Amino acid sequence: MAMKTNLEKRTGRREFLQAGAAGLALGVLPQGLRTAIAADPSLKIGVIGSGRIGSTLGGIWVKAGHEVMFSSLDIEHDKALAARLGGKARAGTSREAAAFGEVLLMAVPYAALPQVGKDLGELVKGKVVVDASNPIVARDGEVATWAREKGAGVASAELLPGARIVRAFNAIGFSRMAEAAQRPGERIGMPMAGDDVAAIAVASRLVREVGYEPVLIGPLAMGKYLMPGTPLAGENTPDKIRQVAASLK
Ligand SMILES: NC(=O)c1ccc[n+]([C@@H]2O[C@H](COP(=O)([O-])OP(=O)(O)OC[C@H]3O[C@@H](n4cnc5c(N)ncnc54)[C@H](OP(=O)(O)O)[C@@H]3O)[C@@H](O)[C@H]2O)c1
């Protein structure tokens, strides 16, 4: 049986699952779940891949008060990163980060995702996984070709069975994300795709904390448009994202 996340324990698993089944409109989230997600001061986040995107987003979430465990293939790098960030940052192996996080950020080269899926196995079951990883053929080879044919979101779901995947943070450069919160005058949207309403709500909160307005473009199958080189790539206003997404359906 899938392990209960702390978020589920705090809100009640039944309510959490009902929320997931309820459809994609965030407005249908039960009040208790909405309150828990919005008001809980601190989430436990496991970062799988603490490179440019993982360290940038994880660093922002540490500053926002979350407990973040960073992981990669280089524990010394992650220990130094956690020490530099202070707060509630820590370092561990990818299995430790996956066990620690009620929410996971997947930020590895797509070529690593099949191995990551095998390494983490049961640990991702029932977890909210924010999937920033992109299949780039020139970098990731065959697995990227396969994933692009299948659609990036659906492919990630196959490689991480049981995870509640939300695609987000895919096609804006990490350096722009690092400073997004310092540009409060601009309303920039973050396109997201997912099938699980409760997971989308958690990811939306994390997107807001990075400085973007979450814009759900549709189910996980729409995740195929969330990667560099598509009409949704780059920074766009929420209205523009909705307009472009509607033309893709
Ligand atoms: N860079 C961007 O602006 C950006 C923006 C949006 C999305 N993305 C996507 O996010 C993903 C990461 O990009 P990045 O630029 O952050 O890459 P990166 O700087 O190369 O970082 C990749 C991270 O993944 C780790 N890793 C690799 N294989 C692993 C494994 N088997 N298990 C655990 N960790 C593993 C690496 O660890 P080691 O360093 O120890 O090898 C490193 O920490 C890519 O899919 C990319 O397309 C990137």
Side-chain angles (χ1 to χ4, degrees):
M1 198 173 105
M3 225 175 14
K4 271 190 190 180
T5 65
N6 287 336
L7 197 58
E8 284 169 272
K9 283 178 199 152
R10 289 194 295 272
T11 54
R13 181 164 172 82
R14 200 143 158 258
E15 193 177 26
F16 198 90
L17 291 175
Q18 276 171 352
L24 285 171
L26 292 182
V28 303
L29 278 183
Q31 183 62 39
L33 183 58
R34 246 183 292 164
T35 308
I37 289 166
D40 194 322
S42 170
L43 293 170
K44 287 186 166 181
I45 302 172
V47 172
I48 313 297
S50 58
R52 288 171 295 180
I53 199 79
S55 64
T56 300
L57 295 178
I60 292 168
W61 293 328
V62 169
K63 289 194 183 90
H66 299 297
E67 295 180 59
V68 180
M69 184 180 285
F70 293 91
S71 71
S72 68
L73 299 176
D74 183 354
I75 187 76
E76 294 309 321
H77 165 272
D78 301 326
K79 282 183 183 164
L81 173 65
R84 209 163 52 241
L85 289 168
K88 294 174 181 166
R90 62 195 83 189
T93 65
S94 56
R95 280 187 64 80
E96 285 167 343
F100 172 83
E102 53 196 324
V103 182
L104 308 181
L105 172 69
M106 205 50 72
V108 296
Y110 216 89
L113 211 51
Q115 188 58 47
V116 168
K118 282 185 199 134
D119 290 346
L120 303 187
E122 295 281 310
L123 293 172
V124 299
K125 285 213 160 70
K127 296 268 169 98
V128 175
V129 174
V130 179
D131 178 24
S133 304
N134 295 314
I136 309 287
V137 175
R139 179 191 64 194
D140 300 312
E142 263 176 42
V143 67
T145 307
W146 167 81
R148 291 172 85 97
E149 276 163 15
K150 212 168 219 331
V154 175
S156 300
E158 201 169 306
L159 296 172
L160 303 166
R164 295 165 163 180
I165 295 185
V166 181
R167 271 188 79 73
F169 300 108
N170 303 98
I172 296 174
F174 72 98
S175 53
R176 294 293 288 175
M177 292 191 208
E179 49 156 49
Q182 272 82 61
R183 296 181 272 140
E186 292 180 53
R187 273 184 76 233
I188 305 166
M190 177 62 73
M192 304 163 55
D195 292 335
D196 183 315
V197 172
I200 290 163
V202 174
S204 298
R205 174 185 170 183
L206 295 173
V207 163
R208 276 194 198 92
E209 287 173 348
V210 178
Y212 294 90
E213 190 170 317
V215 182
L216 184 67
I217 64 159
L220 199 55
M222 286 292 282
K224 66 182 174 186
Y225 297 113
L226 299 184
M227 55 187 178
T230 79
L232 287 168
E235 290 191 333
N236 295 295
T237 64
D239 283 348
K240 175 83 188 297
I241 292 170
R242 285 187 199 102
Q243 195 190 328
V244 173
S247 75
L248 295 171
K249 283 176 187 168

